Amino acid sequence: MLGRLNHVAIAVPDLAAATATYRDTLGAKVSEPIALPEHGVTVVFVDLGNTKVELLEPLGADSTIAGFVAKNPSGGMHHVCYEVEDIIAARDRLKAAGARVLGDGNPKTGAHGKPVLFLHPKDFHGTLVELEQV
Ligand code: CO
């Protein structure tokens, strides 16, 4: 069911500082910051060739990652995103196996304009998992 690793998302309190670390210290190719108000984040994409890292900074008062950054003031790994071919089939298989799908259980349009779902971290060994249909 699982395909490639689409991205690893790292939530940070200071996007400019995190971007500088990846660009200048690590020598990675980074994008300009992109504000995604409907997702409550500003994102910088780090292009690694085989996959991406997404640096996320909270945007707006009700950002979904604001609480995470408050609990992890130096930043931290927020989620991993795996690709699936059929997100409804994947969801139904996971629900049948007892996994909890966050929200109302229906795919939403993610940061890349594709359908995504999030799975409860307690069902996946402490890691928030995003599935993206590609
Ligand atoms: Co993501």
Side-chain angles (χ1 to χ4, degrees), residues 2-49:
L2 281 191
R4 292 157 54 110
L5 175 67
N6 185 276
H7 61 272
V8 174
I10 298 175
V12 300
D14 183 341
L15 188 59
T19 302
T21 298
Y22 272 82
R23 183 188 56 226
D24 304 333
T25 308
L26 294 169
K29 201 190 305 177
V30 302
S31 76
E32 291 298 313
I34 300 160
L36 300 171
E38 68 278 24
H39 295 287
V41 297
T42 304
V43 60
V44 164
F45 297 100
V46 181
D47 178 4
L48 300 171

Side-chain angles (χ1 to χ4, degrees), residues 7 9 54 79 81 130:
H7 61 272
E54 295 183 4
H79 64 269
C81 177
E130 179 180 20

Side-chain angles (χ1 to χ4, degrees), residues 39 87 102-111 113-118 131:
H39 295 287
I87 202 162
L102 299 187
D104 65 7
N106 293 312
K108 299 217 167 20
T109 302
K114 294 180 175 160
V116 302
L117 283 174
F118 285 90
L131 298 179

